[in-house]
Amino acid sequence: MHDLLKDAFDAEKFRQQGHQLIDMLADHLNAVQHGNARHGNARHGNAQHTNSPNGKTQQPVISWHKPEDELAFWEQDLAKGQGDALDLFRTVISRSIHLHHNKYMGHQVVPPAPLGALASLLSSFLNNGSAVYEMGAVSNALERVVTQQLCQQIGWQEESGGILTSGGTLANLTALLTARRVKAQANVWGEGMGQKLALMVSAEAHYCVDRAARIMGWGSEGIIKIPVNDKFQMRTELLEEHLAKAKADGLEVIAVVGSACTTSTGAYDNLVEISDFCTKNDLWFHVDGAHGGAVIFSDKYRHLAKGINLADSVVIDMHKMLLAPALTTALLYRKEVDSYRTFAQQAQYLWSSQEDQEWYNMGKRTMECTKLMMSVKVYALIKTYGTSLFDKYVSRQYDLGKSFAELIKKRALFELGIEPSTNIVCFRYKAADVGEDKVDELNSYIRQALVEQGEFYIVQTRLNNKVYLRTTLMNSNTTEKELNELLNRIEELAQHAYGD
Ligand SMILES: Cc1ncc(COP(=O)(O)O)c(C=O)c1O
């Protein structure tokens, strides 16, 4: 064997590098999640190290570089020639955004439980697919176990079942493909489009639902956006009139998508009312629970998704509120038999008949052919900690959202976007002497300055056409202390913006 290949597959080298990498990640975890800097990593970009109460400095959550600078850094790194893998890993860590940092409060991707990351390493190493049973016996069986567990938690009966797939975007598209197969009058899969199809969804839904309709060739007419109320929930009383109009326009509406919850503000649609409407009109009822479907595990908050059990299909991203590394998404069906109808392709080299409902050949029902063992990441968490881990996490983070809202309300110069029911909190700074036209600009400035300073990571959104700062409290080490520090920092930045 060539020396290079020998080296690439050397078991002892793997052992050594593995130990070193895990040590490095554990030190990193220690340094960012509680503000203990055991290993003060090099400072990068404009990011600032901050003092923690124990007198040590805390690494920034993000080391901001302009895109062209980041690209140049890596191009130069490659040009230097071959190097040590551990040095590379160290550099990757230090230049990445740190989701485990207690001041990470940005997007909805979770700081994964470290055990989930270990399971991910195992999955990558074994590289077992799950399209066919022989290539992923454990993977397929665990996928079944995990999806059954989720179905039970929703409150579904034995006839339910599901699959795991690569992300909420793909899962929503897959669910809508099933809906098309089950509800459309024409055999679109076999004969192409007949009548123009459409779905109805809240105007606040994630953009991937809109994208799914367009991918399926329905165009902009095919996505009917239902206006929302002052809590950003779908106005279900408008469904009837939108359906009547769609019919008059020659559209065949096949589905309604409920959001549980919306991305911008964390609003849960009234799923019971959507279900009633779908039953009455023989429409597919899909719930996009990518973020907030996880409340099925929370004794305190499951009422928010009341009616989720009435859906035909439900999507839950486990890399959002269920602590698993990305991508790990469940697409669940109230009647599992429907999932076998989505795709109908022969693949003689994989399975003998597409018609047989073989749970153990997951590729029959997923868009992906090769797919890593996503199931082991979630199964490892359930096996080790039980599902009460999910209950504790979801309940804590949603509680924290409410506490943060109270802190915001106590400060005269801040305005809450909407009373949060989840861990998504939108607010803005509104100085008394700043005209309304300047408030958007001020908040965009604050958000950009925060990113460039690197101490906190938050994002922004638009509500009723105004710019709001947006936090998603994903980190279980974030407390009111960090949230107060964030508000202090925003006040400082706002004062700075007005030139003192
Ligand atoms: C409600 C909702 N649906 C779907 C998605 C897309 O999920 P993914 O990023 O896993 O593709 C998101 C992502 O933020 C979301 O919030």
Side-chain angles (χ1 to χ4, degrees):
M1 192 195 276
H2 192 283
D3 279 354
L4 269 183
L5 285 170
K6 233 190 236 166
D7 193 47
F9 286 90
D10 185 282
E12 287 314 310
K13 189 166 182 181
F14 173 63
R15 187 194 311 281
Q16 210 183 15
Q17 288 179 329
H19 281 292
Q20 285 175 298
L21 175 61
I22 298 297
D23 280 345
M24 202 186 284
L25 289 172
D27 285 345
H28 169 73
L29 188 61
N30 203 27
V32 295
Q33 68 180 354
H34 302 297
N36 302 321
R38 278 182 56 193
H39 293 265
N41 281 1
R43 182 175 162 172
H44 291 287
N46 300 322
Q48 294 173 356
H49 285 61
T50 50
N51 288 323
S52 66
N54 56 16
K56 294 175 178 171
T57 53
Q58 186 178 19
Q59 290 180 37
V61 60
I62 181 169
S63 300
W64 172 252
H65 299 95
K66 291 193 187 118
E68 56 275 24
D69 294 342
E70 190 65 28
L71 181 62
F73 176 88
W74 289 106
E75 283 170 348
Q76 283 159 21
D77 182 71
L78 187 64
K80 285 183 204 152
Q82 284 163 237
D84 179 59
L86 268 300
D87 283 345
L88 167 65
F89 294 159
R90 197 171 293 113
T91 312
V92 168
I93 294 170
S94 73
R95 297 182 75 88
S96 295
I97 185 166
H98 304 311
L99 275 61
H100 293 94
H101 198 293
N102 58 1
K103 292 178 178 169
Y104 170 85
M105 310 165 184
H107 288 291
Q108 296 154 282
V109 186
V110 82
L115 181 70
L118 286 179
S120 222
L121 170 65
L122 176 69
S123 166
S124 294
F125 183 89
L126 294 175
N127 219 17
N128 281 201
S130 52
V132 284
Y133 180 70
E134 295 133 50
M135 279 298 286
V138 176
S139 173
N140 277 289
L142 288 186
E143 186 158 334
R144 181 118 185 117
V145 171
V146 167
T147 48
Q148 294 292 356
Q149 178 101 33
L150 287 162
C151 287
Q152 262 176 32
Q153 202 68 34
I154 287 178
W156 282 342
Q157 310 298 319
E158 267 179 16
E159 59 182 4
S160 59
I163 55 167
L164 299 185
T165 192
S166 301
T169 301
L170 189 60
N172 280 317
L173 171 62
T174 309
L176 292 168
L177 286 169
T178 313
R180 187 179 71 175
R181 189 66 196 274
V182 176
K183 295 291 181 189
Q185 279 164 28
N187 171 10
V188 183
W189 188 259
E191 291 154 22
M193 293 289 279
Q195 199 177 347
K196 283 184 182 172
L197 301 177
L199 60 83
M200 302 204 277
V201 67
S202 130
E204 284 287 310
H206 191 265
Y207 71 86
C208 71
V209 177
D210 180 294
R211 186 176 284 188
R214 291 169 198 272
I215 289 171
M216 291 188 288
W218 304 358
S220 49
E221 267 193 309
I223 171 129
I224 300 167
K225 294 195 177 152
I226 309 295
V228 292
N229 61 23
D230 57 358
K231 292 181 179 154
F232 297 96
Q233 298 165 308
M234 179 195 282
R235 288 183 57 194
T236 47
E237 76 277 12
L238 300 180
L239 283 168
E240 281 296 354
E241 71 183 65
H242 278 84
L243 179 63
K245 178 169 184 320
K247 280 184 184 162
D249 291 345
L251 293 166
E252 182 190 349
V253 176
I254 61 154
V256 183
V257 179
S259 300
C261 52
T262 60
T263 308
S264 266
T265 60
Y268 283 81
D269 286 339
N270 187 326
L271 303 181
V272 175
E273 285 177 11
I274 298 176
S275 162
D276 288 347
F277 177 78
C278 287
T279 308
K280 184 174 157 212
N281 294 287
D282 190 25
L283 304 176
W284 185 272
F285 174 27
H286 174 65
V287 171
D288 178 3
H291 182 89
V295 291
I296 57 172
F297 288 102
S298 163
D299 292 339
K300 188 165 176 187
Y301 289 105
R302 66 171 296 134
H303 66 92
L304 291 172
K306 187 169 174 229
I308 195 169
N309 57 318
L310 304 170
D312 293 298
S313 53
V314 171
V315 162
I316 301 178
D317 268 353
M318 290 179 275
H319 55 267
K320 290 196 166 70
M321 291 303 290
L322 293 179
L323 297 167
L327 291 163
T328 317
T329 298
L331 167 54
L332 308 162
Y333 294 87
R334 183 158 51 86
K335 291 191 195 136
E336 186 176 26
V337 66
D338 289 332
S339 68
Y340 292 95
R341 299 175 68 183
T342 320
F343 308 107
Q345 274 158 324
Q346 291 303 338
Q348 295 299 348
Y349 47 92
L350 293 178
W351 48 76
S352 48
S353 156
Q354 174 69 25
E355 305 311 316
D356 299 339
Q357 290 170 16
E358 301 158 335
W359 63 262
Y360 45 84
N361 286 324
M362 288 288 177
K364 284 188 171 183
R365 297 184 280 161
T366 57
M367 191 78 84
E368 303 101 320
C369 181
T370 304
K371 183 180 84 181
L372 283 179
M373 297 168 80
M374 301 177 185
S375 49
V376 72
K377 297 184 260 179
V378 183
Y379 187 79
L381 295 179
I382 296 176
K383 177 79 181 158
T384 311
Y385 304 109
T387 54
S388 60
L389 176 73
F390 303 144
D391 177 16
K392 297 287 172 285
Y393 173 67
V394 173
S395 302
R396 181 196 183 276
Q397 300 313 112
Y398 276 35
D399 282 350
L400 191 63
K402 291 193 190 313
S403 310
F404 188 30
E406 293 310 313
L407 297 180
I408 292 167
K409 285 191 258 177
K410 277 190 200 145
R411 301 204 185 204
L413 297 181
F414 284 86
E415 184 183 279
L416 197 59
I418 174 187
E419 200 63 51
S421 45
T422 69
N423 57 338
I424 301 172
V425 184
C426 300
F427 61 101
R428 61 188 196 148
Y429 184 88
K430 199 169 182 262
D433 53 346
V434 177
E436 186 59 44
D437 54 326
K438 293 274 182 232
V439 178
D440 279 1
E441 215 176 277
L442 174 61
N443 281 279
S444 293
Y445 162 80
I446 289 171
R447 149 57 210 170
Q448 190 56 31
L450 282 171
V451 172
E452 290 184 20
Q453 287 185 349
E455 185 189 347
F456 294 91
Y457 183 69
I458 71 168
V459 294
Q460 73 179 47
T461 189
R462 273 187 175 272
L463 306 181
N464 297 323
N465 228 8
K466 293 177 186 165
V467 173
Y468 278 80
L469 303 172
R470 175 173 173 274
T471 52
T472 316
L473 308 176
M474 298 302 287
N475 196 308
S476 50
N477 284 298
T478 302
T479 64
E480 288 191 19
K481 176 180 161 295
E482 287 76 32
L483 296 171
N484 262 320
E485 286 170 7
L486 169 67
L487 297 177
N488 293 343
R489 178 51 50 88
I490 291 173
E491 283 175 351
E492 279 168 30
L493 285 168
Q495 279 157 20
H496 182 253
Y498 286 97
D500 59 7

